[in-house]
Structure formats: structure tokens, C-alpha cells
Amino acid sequence: MILRVGGFFAFSGTVYIATLTKWLNLCEREILSRQEYLGHTVLRKTIGTNFKTDERRFATDEERLVFEDTHEPIVDSELWERAHRSLKHATRRMKEGTHQEKCLLPGLVYCADCGSKMSYQTNYYKSGEPYHSFRCSSYGNRTVNCTIHHISDKVLYQLVLRSIQRLSSRIIADERGFAEELKSKWEAQANGKPQKQKDELQIINRRLNELDRLIGSLYENFISGMLPEKQYKSLMKKYSAEQDNLESQVSEIQEKLEQTKASSAHIVRFIKLIKKYKQPAELTKEMACELIDKIVVHEAVGKKPNRQQQVDIYYNFIGQFDLPLSEKEIAEARRKAEQEAAEKAKRKKNRQRESNVAHRVKAKAERWAANDGHKYPKRICEQCGKEFYPNNTRQRFCNTDCTKAHQQAEKEKKRFAEKGEHTFRQKVCKICGKPFWPSNGQEVLCSEECKTINRNQRQLAYYHRKQSGHKAGEAI
């Protein structure tokens, strides 16, 4: 297949298609940079630098002459601004299938300290599962002495989505009240600007007027011949450089002072824009690029679970705007935080339980493998001296016969330890209470004296029983 582009022919191979695509992208950027499509006339686009060689350079935006609304526009200003916002946040093209394609905030996240864009990176948990986050690109490249400013993409997406949802709900509920609140906030910020900037602007304006007077007198002295050409050029160069520097400072200060200037048109445009997304359920890349100008991430303070991090969201047309939280939202956030903490504790407990079970299973498998398929390691029988595998940790003998033999031996050992050389165990005399070694199993008295005393006691007891029997018979 052959393509014809601008009078040229080319084959539709991979190289030619890539070249054509690049050329079309350059044409689109060139078209989007021309203000004539908005109905304006732009003059003085180039400036001559040397009349002898016709050398020229491109003029800056301040040097160009722009006459607005001179003819019918081709595109409206809203489409123009939306296209330029997309070009402002354009990022380098990512290879298909990489994690960069999942980023929903391309080129919108900035570091609060150094001002550089934050890079979108991928890390991995111990399980191998990937997770994405943002970090300061200057910190990663070591170009500026900055900190990491790390924030998870899920956390940032939830913050942005929640902010858009709250703004959308507020505008739908009370559009006029939102506009009045935004105007009053802008006016308060404008009135609260530091007086130092206004004083600095007055000083710069006085110096600019003085430079205009000095340049005029310098030119008159040069024309009249009072000043040599060499000195004239040197002083003129010096004054011009100072004048350009002061003019750039004036533009920066005025831009800062006018950032908070209330504009009804901007409010109406933002309300019209956010009404397209009524209570969005999820954040999309198109929504983020259309509503958000930039997101500024500050360095986190503290550590988990008390880690805190400030995130400033700047919207198109209205800048930074934070709705105060209502009591209901605070209570809901507290309830959700408590619920998440409880779920986190439960997950941690379950993980610990699973870890303990896995550890026990692993230890059991290792123990059985080390003991040739038995639960406990091999032991030596204390009775017969043979090796055996026990059934519990307290088993000392290989079988019941060895157990009974050991018990019988222990009984005999204990008995012989008590008797010594005697045949019978030691007893206590029933009369005197002294211990003695009996000569037979029925002997309970230690000596003849105790036997005599025992016999007398028994005879006396018999006599008293007999006497009490006779008295009882007579009484009857």
C-alpha cells in the first residue's frame, strides 16, 4: 500500500508509519501553539538581530503583539485551554504493558519542597505482589537535595476521588452558596496578601521609571556627542538587562497578586465542568486531567500508625479549595477508621494464627523426617538397654514387660533400703511408741516389759468388763 501525504509518496512500512505519526504529532503541536485559531491576530513573531545579514530570532510571548477578536474563531477558548492543559501535563510515551499505563494522575503530582514532578514507581511485597506509589523525582535522580515525599497511589487516588465527590455533592446541593463561599475566600486571600510584595512592587516600578529616564538621557548624551559609543553600548546593555530582570519580577509579583482575584466566569466554568461528573464512583484519567491542575505532596510526619501527610489539590479555574468537614463526615470518618483498625487487627490475628499453624506443621514434618517416620527420636530402654521409638515424651521402657520388671525392682530396692539386714520392716511399739525391728510379721511390741504391761492392761480391761456385766444382771 502507498500513502500520499502533502504531495509525497511513501510505503506504509513500520518506519514510514512511525515517521508519519511523529510528523502528525509535530503538526498538532504547531497548530495548538497558534492563537489565530482563537480569532486573534499575532504580529511581530520574529525580531531582527542584525540588519546586515537579515538574521532573525523568534520573539517571546511578551514581545509579540496580539490583537484579540479580529476574526471569527475556529475553536472556542474552552477547547483551547483543555488542549493546552493536556500538553502541559503530557508525559513521555510509555511502553505498552508497563506499570506506567496504570497511572491515573500523569504529570499532575508535584513535590512541595523542590517543585519537581513526582515519579510513578513500582515496588513489590515479600509475597511478590506489586504495589505502586509516587516519589520525588529529584530525590530519585539525586539532582536536588530533597527528601522522598513517598505516598501510595491508592491513598492518593482515594484522597482525590473523595475531594471531587465532596465538591460535586456541595455544588449539586447549593450551587449559589458554593460560588459565594469561593468568592469570599478569594477576597480574603487577596486582602491577606503580605504588604511586603506590594511594597516591593512599588520599589520596582520606581526603579523602572528611573531606568527609562536614564536610558533617555543616555541616548541624548550619545547623540550630542558627550558620551562615547563604547560607553554608551556598555551602559545601554547594563540598563537593558536590569530592565528585563525587573519587568520579569513585576510580572511574577502581579501574577501572584492576581491568583486570588475573584472571577465569576472561572467559577461558572468550573461548576459546568464538575457537573459532568455527578458523584463519580471511581477516578479516571480523563476526569483527573480535566478537573485538576496539580497536586502538591508534602513530606510525611511521624511513623505508622500516627503517620500524617499533607496533600494540596489545585483545581482548574479555582485553584486550591478545601471544604470544611461536617460533624457527620467527621463521625463517619472516625467510625470507618475504627472499623479499619478492627479489621486490620483481625487480619493480623488470622495471619499470626496461620503462621503458627504453618510453623507447627513444618516443625512436625521436619521432626518426623529426622526420626525416620516416627514422632519422637529413638531412645534406649532403661531396663533392657535396647533402642526403641517412644510413643510420648515420658516413655522410658520399650514394652510393658520391662515396665513391670522395673517397677518390681524398684519396690524391692525400696524395701531392702528400709529393712537393711532385717527380714521384716521396722515398726512402732504400741506401748512405748519407740521404733523397733520385729522378728516376725505379727510382732507389735518391742520388749518383754512392754509385753507384760500390755498383758496387764488387757487383764484389767477384761475384769472391768466382767464386773459391769454382773451389775447389769442384778439390776434386771
Side-chain angles (χ1 to χ4, degrees):
M1 181 178 177
I2 300 177
L3 300 176
R4 182 172 181 177
V5 181
F8 296 95
F9 294 92
F11 293 96
S12 59
T14 304
V15 177
Y16 298 102
I17 293 296
T19 306
L20 178 61
T21 304
K22 184 177 180 180
W23 177 78
L24 291 175
N25 292 335
L26 292 175
C27 290
E28 290 176 1
R29 286 184 174 272
E30 179 63 25
I31 291 172
L32 292 174
S33 65
R34 302 191 63 173
Q35 300 186 33
E36 287 84 351
Y37 291 93
L38 287 172
H40 308 330
T41 300
V42 182
L43 302 178
R44 202 184 180 190
K45 294 182 180 180
T46 59
I47 299 175
T49 56
N50 192 340
F51 70 94
K52 295 181 181 180
T53 60
D54 294 335
E55 183 180 352
R56 305 184 69 83
R57 65 174 176 84
F58 288 101
T60 61
D61 294 338
E62 293 79 9
E63 294 173 341
R64 292 180 181 179
L65 301 176
V66 181
F67 301 91
E68 298 182 355
D69 301 328
T70 57
H71 56 274
E72 185 177 356
I74 299 177
V75 296
D76 56 356
S77 59
E78 183 177 355
L79 181 60
W80 177 271
E81 290 179 359
R82 188 167 60 185
H84 274 263
R85 284 199 302 269
S86 299
L87 290 177
K88 177 183 177 182
H89 300 302
T91 56
R92 60 190 178 93
R93 186 177 181 182
M94 298 300 171
K95 184 179 179 181
E96 295 183 0
T98 59
H99 69 279
Q100 298 285 350
E101 293 182 347
K102 300 180 181 179
C103 181
L104 302 180
L105 303 171
L108 296 174
V109 188
Y110 291 84
C111 175
D113 294 334
C114 64
S116 59
K117 289 185 180 180
M118 298 186 70
S119 59
Y120 188 72
Q121 60 178 1
T122 300
N123 297 314
Y124 296 90
Y125 293 108
K126 292 182 179 179
S127 60
E129 182 182 357
Y131 67 95
H132 309 290
S133 60
F134 292 90
R135 75 169 184 180
C136 178
S137 58
S138 298
Y139 171 83
N141 298 331
R142 296 293 189 269
T143 55
V144 179
N145 187 15
C146 191
T147 53
I148 188 170
H149 292 77
H150 178 272
I151 185 170
S152 172
D153 63 336
K154 293 182 179 179
V155 174
L156 188 59
Y157 294 164
Q158 290 296 326
L159 287 175
V160 174
L161 178 60
R162 182 57 181 161
S163 179
I164 294 175
Q165 288 175 345
R166 296 181 68 243
L167 278 176
S168 176
S169 301
R170 175 62 186 279
I171 290 173
I172 293 173
D174 187 7
E175 181 177 333
R176 182 177 298 178
F178 173 78
E180 293 296 332
E181 183 179 354
L182 189 58
K183 282 185 179 180
S184 61
K185 179 185 176 182
W186 281 348
E187 291 174 358
Q189 289 181 355
N191 295 331
K193 281 289 181 181
Q195 188 66 27
K196 182 180 179 180
Q197 292 183 351
K198 299 179 181 179
D199 296 340
E200 186 178 356
L201 185 62
Q202 293 180 358
I203 295 172
I204 293 174
N205 287 330
R206 286 198 296 268
R207 180 57 181 171
L208 286 174
N209 295 332
E210 185 180 357
L211 286 175
D212 291 338
R213 183 180 56 79
L214 290 174
I215 290 173
S217 62
L218 188 66
Y219 180 74
E220 291 177 357
N221 292 334
F222 173 68
I223 294 299
S224 62
M226 297 176 60
L227 188 66
E229 183 180 359
K230 184 176 180 180
Q231 294 182 0
Y232 168 75
K233 290 183 178 180
S234 176
L235 292 174
M236 194 67 179
K237 183 177 180 181
K238 178 181 177 181
Y239 290 155
S240 298
E242 185 179 0
Q243 194 174 29
D244 294 339
N245 186 21
L246 292 176
E247 287 177 353
S248 63
Q249 293 182 14
V250 168
S251 62
E252 291 178 0
I253 295 174
Q254 288 179 348
E255 183 179 358
K256 291 180 180 179
L257 291 174
E258 291 177 359
Q259 280 180 353
T260 56
K261 186 177 179 181
S263 174
S264 301
H266 288 175
I267 297 175
V268 171
R269 293 178 68 178
F270 178 75
I271 292 175
K272 181 181 177 182
L273 190 62
I274 203 171
K275 279 185 176 180
K276 293 171 57 178
Y277 307 99
K278 294 182 180 179
Q279 293 297 329
E282 60 179 0
L283 183 67
T284 61
K285 187 180 296 185
E286 293 75 14
M287 182 198 307
C289 294
E290 194 168 6
L291 291 176
I292 298 173
D293 179 30
K294 63 178 179 179
I295 301 172
V296 179
V297 179
H298 296 257
E299 182 59 57
V301 178
K303 296 182 179 181
K304 289 183 178 182
N306 300 320
R307 186 176 186 267
Q308 296 181 355
Q309 191 169 15
Q310 180 181 349
V311 178
D312 301 331
I313 302 175
Y314 292 82
Y315 292 95
N316 291 321
F317 306 116
I318 65 171
Q320 184 184 6
F321 185 81
D322 296 328
L323 285 174
L325 294 174
S326 62
E327 295 182 358
K328 184 178 179 180
E329 290 176 335
I330 294 174
E332 180 66 20
R334 186 180 293 111
R335 184 192 64 80
K336 189 176 292 186
E338 292 175 355
Q339 183 179 359
E340 291 178 355
E343 291 178 355
K344 184 178 180 181
K346 185 177 180 180
R347 290 195 301 268
K348 184 178 179 180
K349 186 176 181 180
N350 292 335
R351 287 196 303 268
Q352 186 66 31
R353 185 184 296 111
E354 293 174 358
S355 177
N356 293 338
V357 171
H359 177 72
R360 288 196 296 268
V361 170
K362 182 180 178 181
K364 181 179 179 181
E366 292 178 352
R367 186 170 64 248
W368 282 64
N371 298 329
D372 297 332
H374 294 82
K375 187 175 181 180
Y376 301 102
K378 186 180 292 186
R379 290 183 178 179
I380 298 176
C381 180
E382 297 181 3
Q383 183 65 23
C384 63
K386 296 180 180 180
E387 292 185 348
F388 71 101
Y389 286 100
N391 296 324
N392 52 62
T393 56
R394 293 186 290 181
Q395 184 176 352
R396 299 162 56 190
F397 309 100
C398 58
N399 51 37
T400 56
D401 295 337
C402 290
T403 304
K404 292 180 180 179
H406 177 75
Q407 291 175 353
Q408 186 66 27
E410 286 293 323
K411 288 181 181 179
E412 293 178 358
K413 182 179 179 182
K414 183 178 180 181
R415 185 168 64 248
F416 282 110
E418 292 177 354
K419 295 188 299 181
E421 298 179 355
H422 302 279
T423 306
F424 302 95
R425 293 182 182 179
Q426 191 176 24
K427 293 183 179 180
V428 177
C429 181
K430 294 176 62 177
I431 301 300
C432 63
K434 295 180 180 179
F436 71 101
W437 296 100
S439 59
N440 55 63
Q442 296 181 354
E443 189 175 1
V444 293
L445 301 175
C446 62
S447 61
E448 291 296 331
E449 296 178 357
C450 290
K451 291 178 180 178
T452 303
I453 296 172
N454 182 47
R455 186 169 52 252
N456 294 334
Q457 289 178 354
R458 292 176 67 185
Q459 289 178 355
L460 184 62
Y462 173 77
Y463 175 75
H464 286 298
R465 285 197 305 271
K466 188 174 181 181
Q467 290 296 328
S468 61
H470 287 306
K471 291 180 180 180
E474 293 177 356
I476 293 173

